[in-house]
Amino acid sequence: MILANKKHISSSISKIRKLRKQDVSVDELLKGLFKGNKAHLAKAITLVESSKAEHFEKANTLVEKCLGKSNSSVRIGITGVPGVGKSTFIEAFGKALTQIGKKVAVLAVDPTSTLSKGSILGDKTRMQNLSKDSNAFIRPSPSGDSLGGVARKTRESIILCEAAGYDIILVETVGVGQSETMVHSMADFFLLLKLSGAGDELQGIKRGIMEMADAIAINKADGDNLEKAKLAEVEFSRALHLYPPKANGWTPKVLRCSASEQTGILEIWHLIEEYVTLNKKNGHFEQNRKNQNKNWFLQTVDEQIKQYFHQKKSFEKVQNDMLVAVENNRVSPFYAAKKLLESISVELK
Ligand code: GDP
């Protein structure tokens, strides 16, 4: 059995390696992807992640053809500080889900892998068990780009995973910079993993994160830590009640779990199911996805307009002139901005 499994894994790895080197047509990729072929899915994501101009059109066609194939999926954002147990949790959670017949894809948004070459999520050695599961697909965080770029790639990868039949998409992130907000804006459900401490649970929580959470799971609720975890559960529940109710009618919940002992894991899934049922019934599930898409569109337009202006030759010069003028109190900052944009607009005509 173990030997057969090993053979299966090494043959899939060699298929992925072989395919990586080949130039496969979009149609072929789509055919494989719709059949749930992991090698084709990996190759498709590589295209989406590529910043080469010649891959752009191919990637767009791929994503376009995969849109709308995602109706029954659930996208779950997971965050928590390094060491809270994210990878242990995702491994246990992912396994529990594949055991009840789900297909699970794990994607990551890790701004640290973008800024430096190393990453907090340390992709390669993590989730070894889950990565061997034939019903799981794990993709390391794309790097070498801005956080916005990484987020775009992750969003498009979600679409591809869903088209390949993955019905649970886990998007993991660390609490660095804007990464949590980004993941929240691509997820249906947002899970915050926390540790219990000595009465200081609520300290050190980033502003805004409590409002984003649909559930908080106190991890490492095992051994000597169990009692502290119970206290943390009460404290967090109390804190959550201070926030106004969410527009979708959901009241965020606090749960306890132990990723390493695999307790409390399925309970989290049942809670997510409850959330999805409620939100599908009251229309918020679809509405939220539509709003997310519209926001991504508007945000992308904003970013590209900015880029477009910045690329103009005279931009920097006029901007510098205006900076001096503002510094010397010759013009107001608002007038300077108006002048700068006017001068670029003339160039655009
Ligand atoms: P990440 O940095 O958030 O991905 O955290 P890891 O999953 O790498 O876990 C950090 C450490 O906490 C590792 O040594 C894990 O074995 C340990 N750990 C994770 N989950 C649990 C848990 O539920 N209980 C206990 N006791 N230890 C855990």
Side-chain angles (χ1 to χ4, degrees):
M1 175 74 182
I2 291 176
L3 201 65
N5 206 8
K6 265 192 178 161
K7 262 194 184 155
H8 163 78
I9 293 160
S10 68
S11 103
S12 336
I13 291 175
S14 77
K15 267 189 213 152
I16 289 178
R17 283 201 182 127
K18 228 163 135 189
L19 200 65
R20 203 180 281 156
K21 290 190 191 122
Q22 287 169 12
D23 197 17
V24 187
S25 73
V26 170
D27 282 345
E28 247 176 285
L29 270 183
L30 282 171
K31 222 162 100 190
L33 196 142
F34 290 150
K35 278 193 209 146
N37 183 312
K38 278 195 204 183
H40 284 85
L41 173 60
K43 175 97 180 172
I45 293 182
T46 305
L47 269 181
V48 161
E49 287 179 355
S50 167
S51 31
K52 287 189 187 147
E54 72 257 33
H55 291 156
F56 185 73
E57 281 308 316
K58 249 182 160 180
N60 266 352
T61 316
L62 262 174
V63 174
E64 229 164 73
K65 297 238 157 108
C66 289
L67 280 173
K69 303 221 176 258
S70 54
N71 289 340
S72 61
S73 68
V74 182
R75 305 167 182 169
I76 305 169
I78 299 177
T79 190
V81 295
V84 71
K86 286 182 298 303
S87 48
T88 316
F89 174 81
I90 290 173
E91 179 133 273
F93 191 59
K95 271 284 180 199
L97 292 173
T98 60
Q99 271 160 18
I100 56 168
K102 303 283 182 195
K103 285 189 77 179
V104 180
V106 182
L107 305 170
V109 172
D110 181 356
T112 57
S113 75
T114 300
L115 300 174
S116 61
K117 286 294 163 197
S119 73
I120 292 187
L121 295 179
D123 298 307
K124 285 190 189 73
T125 52
R126 305 162 79 238
M127 304 170 210
Q128 301 238 354
N129 273 329
L130 191 61
S131 62
K132 290 176 197 150
D133 192 320
S134 58
N135 281 325
F137 176 83
I138 300 181
R139 182 76 180 189
S141 176
S143 61
D145 207 323
S146 64
L147 179 57
V150 169
R152 180 187 68 77
K153 291 166 183 178
T154 309
R155 268 183 67 80
E156 303 209 318
S157 301
I158 291 177
I159 309 288
L160 299 180
C161 289
E162 289 170 345
Y166 290 88
D167 45 10
I168 309 280
I169 316 291
L170 306 179
V171 186
E172 176 190 14
T173 193
V174 280
V176 175
Q178 287 297 304
S179 66
E180 281 154 334
T181 312
M182 290 239 172
V183 170
H184 179 253
S185 67
M186 56 179 94
D188 304 313
F189 187 95
F190 197 63
L191 177 67
L192 170 64
L193 290 184
K194 286 297 296 176
L195 289 175
S196 56
D200 59 353
E201 283 78 11
L202 296 173
Q203 287 171 29
I205 271 209
K206 245 167 64 180
R207 263 186 72 203
I209 186 96
M210 290 280 276
E211 288 101 311
M212 281 195 273
D214 295 303
I216 296 176
I218 317 281
N219 190 34
K220 306 197 188 182
D222 49 47
D224 293 344
N225 211 28
L226 185 58
E227 288 311 311
K228 272 199 281 182
K230 285 183 185 167
L231 285 176
E233 188 181 4
V234 173
E235 192 167 343
F236 275 112
S237 303
R238 221 179 272 146
L240 278 178
H241 275 106
L242 299 176
Y243 291 97
K246 298 204 175 206
N248 58 12
W250 177 254
T251 314
K253 311 270 182 332
V254 186
L255 296 164
R256 267 178 284 132
C257 68
S258 165
S260 55
E261 292 190 359
Q262 289 153 38
T263 53
I265 303 293
L266 263 181
E267 283 79 351
I268 295 175
W269 170 242
H270 291 146
L271 184 78
I272 297 174
E273 278 187 313
E274 201 186 300
Y275 172 92
V276 171
T277 308
L278 171 83
N279 277 275
K280 284 201 169 164
K281 226 187 207 165
N282 65 20
H284 273 274
F285 192 89
E286 262 310 295
Q287 197 53 51
N288 183 43
R289 282 202 179 177
K290 281 185 187 160
N291 289 345
Q292 287 180 341
N293 279 338
K294 287 195 279 189
N295 284 338
W296 279 96
F297 162 68
L298 293 174
Q299 206 176 308
T300 311
V301 170
D302 275 353
E303 273 163 25
Q304 299 203 347
I305 289 177
K306 218 157 110 185
Q307 254 176 29
Y308 189 70
F309 272 85
H310 277 269
Q311 276 162 9
K312 293 289 146 201
K313 268 200 217 109
S314 56
F315 188 92
E316 210 180 324
K317 185 186 173 310
V318 184
Q319 181 170 260
N320 286 338
D321 291 348
M322 288 298 150
L323 274 173
V324 175
V326 169
E327 201 178 13
N328 295 331
N329 257 337
R330 272 192 278 120
V331 292
S332 82
F334 307 101
Y335 181 79
K338 190 164 171 277
K339 272 282 161 220
L340 168 61
L341 293 180
E342 270 172 14
S343 81
I344 303 298
S345 305
V346 167
E347 198 187 313
L348 291 178
K349 276 183 189 156

